[in-house]
Amino acid sequence: MFGIPGKQAVTMTPKAAAQIAKLMEKEGHKGLRIGVKKGGCAGMEYTMDYVDETDPNDEVVEQDGACVMIAPMAQMFLFGTEIDYEVSLLESGFRFHNPNVTEACGCGESIKFENM
């Protein structure tokens, strides 16, 4: 929808792709839909949901056995984002390195885009 021919809307690090593939296999789902919604102290939050069917308007990114679907309304906000999976002593989870974000809250849970 908002893509550039020959360029994926988002990329995944090998760790993120492995974790997504592992979750899909364990839970028996087709993929993971990524989106954004209003919320949080900075104005927007990322969403991640298991999905069993692809919406025809989803942008589908497949890499190393992982399948990520980008919700139609989120495509313009997520274009160029790298998804990573980080493990630390206190927590583990997906991290979004999004060049479209202009501001983020201190806890890292919410984000802001230009003119939002």
Side-chain angles (χ1 to χ4, degrees):
M1 207 170 168
F2 291 96
I4 295 173
K7 182 170 170 68
Q8 290 186 348
V10 299
T11 58
M12 294 175 262
T13 65
K15 285 183 183 179
Q19 183 64 20
I20 291 169
K22 179 179 168 184
L23 288 171
M24 298 307 95
E25 183 178 327
K26 179 181 175 185
E27 299 294 328
H29 297 287
K30 183 174 181 174
L32 195 63
R33 180 171 290 122
I34 299 172
V36 293
K37 69 176 184 174
K38 290 187 184 253
C41 52
M44 301 286 277
E45 298 174 319
Y46 293 111
T47 62
M48 298 180 85
D49 298 296
Y50 293 118
V51 292
D52 295 318
E53 291 187 29
T54 305
D55 182 300
N57 295 313
D58 282 346
E59 178 75 26
V60 178
V61 177
E62 294 180 295
Q63 178 184 320
D64 300 327
C67 182
V68 171
M69 296 143 200
I70 304 170
M73 296 303 292
Q75 291 173 13
M76 66 181 165
F77 297 110
L78 296 177
F79 191 78
T81 298
E82 178 189 63
I83 303 168
D84 194 10
Y85 187 76
E86 297 176 356
V87 178
S88 72
L89 186 60
L90 298 175
E91 64 182 359
S92 62
F94 291 100
R95 301 286 181 256
F96 294 82
H97 303 285
N98 187 336
N100 306 304
V101 171
T102 58
E103 192 176 313
C105 69
C107 66
E109 294 295 319
S110 67
I111 50 178
K112 183 177 181 180
F113 300 100
E114 187 69 34
N115 299 320
M116 292 301 298

